[in-house]
Amino acid sequence: MRNSENYIITTGSEPLSTDDETTWSFPGAIVGFVAWLLALGIPFLIYGGNTLFFFLYTWPFFLALMPVAVVVGIALHSLLNGKLLYSAIVTIVTVVLMFGLLFLWLMG
């Protein structure tokens, strides 16, 4: 191995910035989780209390969508450059569509 150091030569006109942190992951994760909760409530609004009997046997499928919804929220929030309103709308629509497709697939 080579013992060397990297030196940065500046002219003094522009300051060095070391703030390369990613701050989009937490709001995107919260938006994804809230979208999953909203999507979980939609079958209750449509079918009422009988949805609990359907979820009795199929809950692992819907629980498996939770980390997927969180990752979708993080990805869409980063792709939309941290614009919370746009990413929230797109994330909610995407997660509700995934939830609906799974629900329809399990219904037969």
Side-chain angles (χ1 to χ4, degrees):
M1 275 211 201
R2 190 170 83 171
N3 290 330
S4 65
E5 295 181 19
N6 293 330
Y7 293 104
I8 299 173
I9 301 172
T10 60
T11 59
S13 61
E14 58 184 63
L16 292 176
S17 175
T18 59
D19 294 333
D20 292 336
E21 300 176 6
T22 56
T23 58
W24 43 260
S25 62
F26 188 68
I30 296 298
V31 167
F33 183 70
V34 169
W36 180 79
L37 286 176
L38 289 173
L40 187 65
I42 291 174
F44 287 100
L45 292 174
I46 296 172
Y47 297 108
N50 292 333
T51 308
L52 288 175
F53 293 113
F54 181 71
F55 281 158
L56 184 65
Y57 295 107
T58 60
W59 65 268
F61 295 103
F62 296 102
L63 186 63
L65 278 183
M66 185 180 53
V68 174
V70 170
V71 169
V72 165
I74 292 171
L76 290 175
H77 192 68
S78 69
L79 287 174
L80 294 172
N81 294 327
K83 294 182 174 128
L84 189 61
L85 182 63
Y86 295 138
S87 65
I89 292 170
V90 173
T91 301
I92 289 172
V93 169
T94 304
V95 171
V96 166
L97 285 176
M98 286 189 314
F99 211 89
L101 286 173
L102 178 65
F103 195 83
L104 290 174
W105 179 65
L106 290 173
M107 291 279 288

PDB file of all heavy atoms in Angstrom, residues 61-85:
ATOM      1  N   PHE A  61     -49.511 -11.235   3.833  1.00  0.00           N
ATOM      2  CA  PHE A  61     -49.318 -10.582   2.539  1.00  0.00           C
ATOM      3  C   PHE A  61     -49.349  -9.065   2.681  1.00  0.00           C
ATOM      4  O   PHE A  61     -48.531  -8.355   2.101  1.00  0.00           O
ATOM      5  CB  PHE A  61     -50.404 -11.028   1.549  1.00  0.00           C
ATOM      6  CG  PHE A  61     -50.338 -12.470   1.191  1.00  0.00           C
ATOM      7  CD1 PHE A  61     -51.229 -13.373   1.743  1.00  0.00           C
ATOM      8  CD2 PHE A  61     -49.383 -12.935   0.304  1.00  0.00           C
ATOM      9  CE1 PHE A  61     -51.177 -14.711   1.419  1.00  0.00           C
ATOM     10  CE2 PHE A  61     -49.314 -14.273  -0.032  1.00  0.00           C
ATOM     11  CZ  PHE A  61     -50.214 -15.171   0.530  1.00  0.00           C
ATOM     12  N   PHE A  62     -50.320  -8.576   3.447  1.00  0.00           N
ATOM     13  CA  PHE A  62     -50.457  -7.138   3.603  1.00  0.00           C
ATOM     14  C   PHE A  62     -49.370  -6.572   4.521  1.00  0.00           C
ATOM     15  O   PHE A  62     -48.951  -5.436   4.326  1.00  0.00           O
ATOM     16  CB  PHE A  62     -51.851  -6.804   4.125  1.00  0.00           C
ATOM     17  CG  PHE A  62     -52.922  -7.187   3.148  1.00  0.00           C
ATOM     18  CD1 PHE A  62     -53.673  -8.335   3.323  1.00  0.00           C
ATOM     19  CD2 PHE A  62     -53.163  -6.405   2.035  1.00  0.00           C
ATOM     20  CE1 PHE A  62     -54.639  -8.689   2.422  1.00  0.00           C
ATOM     21  CE2 PHE A  62     -54.129  -6.754   1.114  1.00  0.00           C
ATOM     22  CZ  PHE A  62     -54.875  -7.903   1.310  1.00  0.00           C
ATOM     23  N   LEU A  63     -48.929  -7.356   5.477  1.00  0.00           N
ATOM     24  CA  LEU A  63     -47.826  -6.917   6.325  1.00  0.00           C
ATOM     25  C   LEU A  63     -46.527  -6.847   5.524  1.00  0.00           C
ATOM     26  O   LEU A  63     -45.688  -5.972   5.767  1.00  0.00           O
ATOM     27  CB  LEU A  63     -47.663  -7.869   7.518  1.00  0.00           C
ATOM     28  CG  LEU A  63     -46.638  -7.460   8.561  1.00  0.00           C
ATOM     29  CD1 LEU A  63     -47.056  -6.142   9.213  1.00  0.00           C
ATOM     30  CD2 LEU A  63     -46.500  -8.545   9.610  1.00  0.00           C
ATOM     31  N   ALA A  64     -46.373  -7.726   4.537  1.00  0.00           N
ATOM     32  CA  ALA A  64     -45.172  -7.710   3.706  1.00  0.00           C
ATOM     33  C   ALA A  64     -45.120  -6.474   2.806  1.00  0.00           C
ATOM     34  O   ALA A  64     -44.045  -6.085   2.352  1.00  0.00           O
ATOM     35  CB  ALA A  64     -45.108  -8.968   2.849  1.00  0.00           C
ATOM     36  N   LEU A  65     -46.265  -5.841   2.577  1.00  0.00           N
ATOM     37  CA  LEU A  65     -46.270  -4.622   1.780  1.00  0.00           C
ATOM     38  C   LEU A  65     -45.780  -3.398   2.556  1.00  0.00           C
ATOM     39  O   LEU A  65     -45.500  -2.371   1.952  1.00  0.00           O
ATOM     40  CB  LEU A  65     -47.681  -4.340   1.254  1.00  0.00           C
ATOM     41  CG  LEU A  65     -48.104  -5.092   0.008  1.00  0.00           C
ATOM     42  CD1 LEU A  65     -49.486  -4.649  -0.421  1.00  0.00           C
ATOM     43  CD2 LEU A  65     -47.121  -4.890  -1.119  1.00  0.00           C
ATOM     44  N   MET A  66     -45.703  -3.499   3.890  1.00  0.00           N
ATOM     45  CA  MET A  66     -45.286  -2.334   4.670  1.00  0.00           C
ATOM     46  C   MET A  66     -43.844  -1.903   4.353  1.00  0.00           C
ATOM     47  O   MET A  66     -43.615  -0.726   4.051  1.00  0.00           O
ATOM     48  CB  MET A  66     -45.442  -2.566   6.164  1.00  0.00           C
ATOM     49  CG  MET A  66     -45.117  -1.323   6.962  1.00  0.00           C
ATOM     50  SD  MET A  66     -45.258  -1.503   8.720  1.00  0.00           S
ATOM     51  CE  MET A  66     -44.264  -2.911   9.071  1.00  0.00           C
ATOM     52  N   PRO A  67     -42.848  -2.793   4.405  1.00  0.00           N
ATOM     53  CA  PRO A  67     -41.504  -2.324   4.049  1.00  0.00           C
ATOM     54  C   PRO A  67     -41.389  -1.916   2.582  1.00  0.00           C
ATOM     55  O   PRO A  67     -40.621  -1.015   2.246  1.00  0.00           O
ATOM     56  CB  PRO A  67     -40.592  -3.508   4.373  1.00  0.00           C
ATOM     57  CG  PRO A  67     -41.474  -4.661   4.566  1.00  0.00           C
ATOM     58  CD  PRO A  67     -42.834  -4.170   4.884  1.00  0.00           C
ATOM     59  N   VAL A  68     -42.186  -2.539   1.723  1.00  0.00           N
ATOM     60  CA  VAL A  68     -42.185  -2.148   0.314  1.00  0.00           C
ATOM     61  C   VAL A  68     -42.709  -0.725   0.175  1.00  0.00           C
ATOM     62  O   VAL A  68     -42.164   0.091  -0.572  1.00  0.00           O
ATOM     63  CB  VAL A  68     -43.016  -3.140  -0.529  1.00  0.00           C
ATOM     64  CG1 VAL A  68     -43.135  -2.672  -1.962  1.00  0.00           C
ATOM     65  CG2 VAL A  68     -42.423  -4.518  -0.458  1.00  0.00           C
ATOM     66  N   ALA A  69     -43.767  -0.398   0.925  1.00  0.00           N
ATOM     67  CA  ALA A  69     -44.334   0.955   0.881  1.00  0.00           C
ATOM     68  C   ALA A  69     -43.344   1.978   1.422  1.00  0.00           C
ATOM     69  O   ALA A  69     -43.234   3.089   0.888  1.00  0.00           O
ATOM     70  CB  ALA A  69     -45.629   0.995   1.685  1.00  0.00           C
ATOM     71  N   VAL A  70     -42.604   1.623   2.451  1.00  0.00           N
ATOM     72  CA  VAL A  70     -41.610   2.544   3.012  1.00  0.00           C
ATOM     73  C   VAL A  70     -40.487   2.784   2.007  1.00  0.00           C
ATOM     74  O   VAL A  70     -40.061   3.928   1.796  1.00  0.00           O
ATOM     75  CB  VAL A  70     -41.069   2.008   4.352  1.00  0.00           C
ATOM     76  CG1 VAL A  70     -39.867   2.805   4.822  1.00  0.00           C
ATOM     77  CG2 VAL A  70     -42.163   2.022   5.406  1.00  0.00           C
ATOM     78  N   VAL A  71     -40.029   1.736   1.349  1.00  0.00           N
ATOM     79  CA  VAL A  71     -38.964   1.888   0.350  1.00  0.00           C
ATOM     80  C   VAL A  71     -39.465   2.679  -0.853  1.00  0.00           C
ATOM     81  O   VAL A  71     -38.743   3.520  -1.405  1.00  0.00           O
ATOM     82  CB  VAL A  71     -38.410   0.504  -0.066  1.00  0.00           C
ATOM     83  CG1 VAL A  71     -37.508   0.614  -1.275  1.00  0.00           C
ATOM     84  CG2 VAL A  71     -37.679  -0.132   1.087  1.00  0.00           C
ATOM     85  N   VAL A  72     -40.715   2.447  -1.251  1.00  0.00           N
ATOM     86  CA  VAL A  72     -41.294   3.226  -2.351  1.00  0.00           C
ATOM     87  C   VAL A  72     -41.377   4.693  -1.963  1.00  0.00           C
ATOM     88  O   VAL A  72     -41.089   5.586  -2.771  1.00  0.00           O
ATOM     89  CB  VAL A  72     -42.682   2.666  -2.738  1.00  0.00           C
ATOM     90  CG1 VAL A  72     -43.469   3.637  -3.590  1.00  0.00           C
ATOM     91  CG2 VAL A  72     -42.532   1.351  -3.465  1.00  0.00           C
ATOM     92  N   GLY A  73     -41.750   4.971  -0.725  1.00  0.00           N
ATOM     93  CA  GLY A  73     -41.804   6.355  -0.260  1.00  0.00           C
ATOM     94  C   GLY A  73     -40.440   7.023  -0.283  1.00  0.00           C
ATOM     95  O   GLY A  73     -40.301   8.177  -0.707  1.00  0.00           O
ATOM     96  N   ILE A  74     -39.422   6.312   0.158  1.00  0.00           N
ATOM     97  CA  ILE A  74     -38.061   6.862   0.145  1.00  0.00           C
ATOM     98  C   ILE A  74     -37.589   7.087  -1.287  1.00  0.00           C
ATOM     99  O   ILE A  74     -37.030   8.144  -1.613  1.00  0.00           O
ATOM    100  CB  ILE A  74     -37.096   5.921   0.895  1.00  0.00           C
ATOM    101  CG1 ILE A  74     -37.423   5.902   2.379  1.00  0.00           C
ATOM    102  CG2 ILE A  74     -35.654   6.339   0.670  1.00  0.00           C
ATOM    103  CD1 ILE A  74     -36.671   4.847   3.153  1.00  0.00           C
ATOM    104  N   ALA A  75     -37.837   6.118  -2.164  1.00  0.00           N
ATOM    105  CA  ALA A  75     -37.371   6.227  -3.548  1.00  0.00           C
ATOM    106  C   ALA A  75     -38.070   7.367  -4.281  1.00  0.00           C
ATOM    107  O   ALA A  75     -37.419   8.168  -4.968  1.00  0.00           O
ATOM    108  CB  ALA A  75     -37.600   4.907  -4.275  1.00  0.00           C
ATOM    109  N   LEU A  76     -39.379   7.461  -4.141  1.00  0.00           N
ATOM    110  CA  LEU A  76     -40.095   8.518  -4.841  1.00  0.00           C
ATOM    111  C   LEU A  76     -39.773   9.895  -4.276  1.00  0.00           C
ATOM    112  O   LEU A  76     -39.720  10.874  -5.016  1.00  0.00           O
ATOM    113  CB  LEU A  76     -41.600   8.251  -4.792  1.00  0.00           C
ATOM    114  CG  LEU A  76     -42.074   7.059  -5.621  1.00  0.00           C
ATOM    115  CD1 LEU A  76     -43.552   6.815  -5.413  1.00  0.00           C
ATOM    116  CD2 LEU A  76     -41.763   7.283  -7.091  1.00  0.00           C
ATOM    117  N   HIS A  77     -39.548   9.973  -2.972  1.00  0.00           N
ATOM    118  CA  HIS A  77     -39.189  11.255  -2.375  1.00  0.00           C
ATOM    119  C   HIS A  77     -37.816  11.715  -2.862  1.00  0.00           C
ATOM    120  O   HIS A  77     -37.597  12.912  -3.071  1.00  0.00           O
ATOM    121  CB  HIS A  77     -39.216  11.161  -0.850  1.00  0.00           C
ATOM    122  CG  HIS A  77     -39.143  12.469  -0.153  1.00  0.00           C
ATOM    123  ND1 HIS A  77     -40.159  13.393  -0.210  1.00  0.00           N
ATOM    124  CD2 HIS A  77     -38.180  13.026   0.613  1.00  0.00           C
ATOM    125  CE1 HIS A  77     -39.818  14.452   0.496  1.00  0.00           C
ATOM    126  NE2 HIS A  77     -38.618  14.251   1.007  1.00  0.00           N
ATOM    127  N   SER A  78     -36.909  10.783  -3.062  1.00  0.00           N
ATOM    128  CA  SER A  78     -35.590  11.164  -3.571  1.00  0.00           C
ATOM    129  C   SER A  78     -35.638  11.464  -5.063  1.00  0.00           C
ATOM    130  O   SER A  78     -34.940  12.356  -5.534  1.00  0.00           O
ATOM    131  CB  SER A  78     -34.569  10.067  -3.292  1.00  0.00           C
ATOM    132  OG  SER A  78     -34.847   8.932  -4.072  1.00  0.00           O
ATOM    133  N   LEU A  79     -36.468  10.740  -5.811  1.00  0.00           N
ATOM    134  CA  LEU A  79     -36.567  10.988  -7.251  1.00  0.00           C
ATOM    135  C   LEU A  79     -37.242  12.321  -7.562  1.00  0.00           C
ATOM    136  O   LEU A  79     -36.968  12.933  -8.596  1.00  0.00           O
ATOM    137  CB  LEU A  79     -37.330   9.858  -7.937  1.00  0.00           C
ATOM    138  CG  LEU A  79     -36.589   8.541  -8.065  1.00  0.00           C
ATOM    139  CD1 LEU A  79     -37.511   7.465  -8.629  1.00  0.00           C
ATOM    140  CD2 LEU A  79     -35.375   8.711  -8.946  1.00  0.00           C
ATOM    141  N   LEU A  80     -38.109  12.762  -6.675  1.00  0.00           N
ATOM    142  CA  LEU A  80     -38.794  14.044  -6.876  1.00  0.00           C
ATOM    143  C   LEU A  80     -38.083  15.192  -6.159  1.00  0.00           C
ATOM    144  O   LEU A  80     -38.692  16.222  -5.880  1.00  0.00           O
ATOM    145  CB  LEU A  80     -40.244  13.936  -6.414  1.00  0.00           C
ATOM    146  CG  LEU A  80     -41.107  12.986  -7.254  1.00  0.00           C
ATOM    147  CD1 LEU A  80     -42.466  12.785  -6.634  1.00  0.00           C
ATOM    148  CD2 LEU A  80     -41.234  13.514  -8.675  1.00  0.00           C
ATOM    149  N   ASN A  81     -36.817  15.009  -5.858  1.00  0.00           N
ATOM    150  CA  ASN A  81     -35.938  16.034  -5.274  1.00  0.00           C
ATOM    151  C   ASN A  81     -36.453  16.601  -3.963  1.00  0.00           C
ATOM    152  O   ASN A  81     -36.316  17.792  -3.685  1.00  0.00           O
ATOM    153  CB  ASN A  81     -35.705  17.168  -6.272  1.00  0.00           C
ATOM    154  CG  ASN A  81     -34.931  16.717  -7.477  1.00  0.00           C
ATOM    155  OD1 ASN A  81     -34.073  15.845  -7.363  1.00  0.00           O
ATOM    156  ND2 ASN A  81     -35.240  17.273  -8.622  1.00  0.00           N
ATOM    157  N   GLY A  82     -37.066  15.774  -3.150  1.00  0.00           N
ATOM    158  CA  GLY A  82     -37.478  16.194  -1.821  1.00  0.00           C
ATOM    159  C   GLY A  82     -38.720  17.054  -1.776  1.00  0.00           C
ATOM    160  O   GLY A  82     -38.985  17.676  -0.757  1.00  0.00           O
ATOM    161  N   LYS A  83     -39.492  17.115  -2.850  1.00  0.00           N
ATOM    162  CA  LYS A  83     -40.737  17.878  -2.848  1.00  0.00           C
ATOM    163  C   LYS A  83     -41.796  17.024  -2.150  1.00  0.00           C
ATOM    164  O   LYS A  83     -42.297  16.054  -2.696  1.00  0.00           O
ATOM    165  CB  LYS A  83     -41.143  18.224  -4.262  1.00  0.00           C
ATOM    166  CG  LYS A  83     -40.164  19.169  -4.905  1.00  0.00           C
ATOM    167  CD  LYS A  83     -40.589  19.541  -6.285  1.00  0.00           C
ATOM    168  CE  LYS A  83     -39.643  20.595  -6.788  1.00  0.00           C
ATOM    169  NZ  LYS A  83     -39.081  20.302  -8.059  1.00  0.00           N
ATOM    170  N   LEU A  84     -42.127  17.417  -0.924  1.00  0.00           N
ATOM    171  CA  LEU A  84     -42.949  16.583  -0.058  1.00  0.00           C
ATOM    172  C   LEU A  84     -44.363  16.403  -0.581  1.00  0.00           C
ATOM    173  O   LEU A  84     -44.912  15.300  -0.528  1.00  0.00           O
ATOM    174  CB  LEU A  84     -42.963  17.148   1.355  1.00  0.00           C
ATOM    175  CG  LEU A  84     -43.606  16.283   2.427  1.00  0.00           C
ATOM    176  CD1 LEU A  84     -42.854  14.964   2.539  1.00  0.00           C
ATOM    177  CD2 LEU A  84     -43.617  16.993   3.748  1.00  0.00           C
ATOM    178  N   LEU A  85     -44.975  17.443  -1.090  1.00  0.00           N
ATOM    179  CA  LEU A  85     -46.356  17.338  -1.554  1.00  0.00           C
ATOM    180  C   LEU A  85     -46.471  16.406  -2.752  1.00  0.00           C
ATOM    181  O   LEU A  85     -47.322  15.513  -2.781  1.00  0.00           O
ATOM    182  CB  LEU A  85     -46.903  18.724  -1.901  1.00  0.00           C
ATOM    183  CG  LEU A  85     -48.362  18.760  -2.356  1.00  0.00           C
ATOM    184  CD1 LEU A  85     -49.265  18.283  -1.217  1.00  0.00           C
ATOM    185  CD2 LEU A  85     -48.744  20.140  -2.811  1.00  0.00           C
TER     186      LEU A  85
END
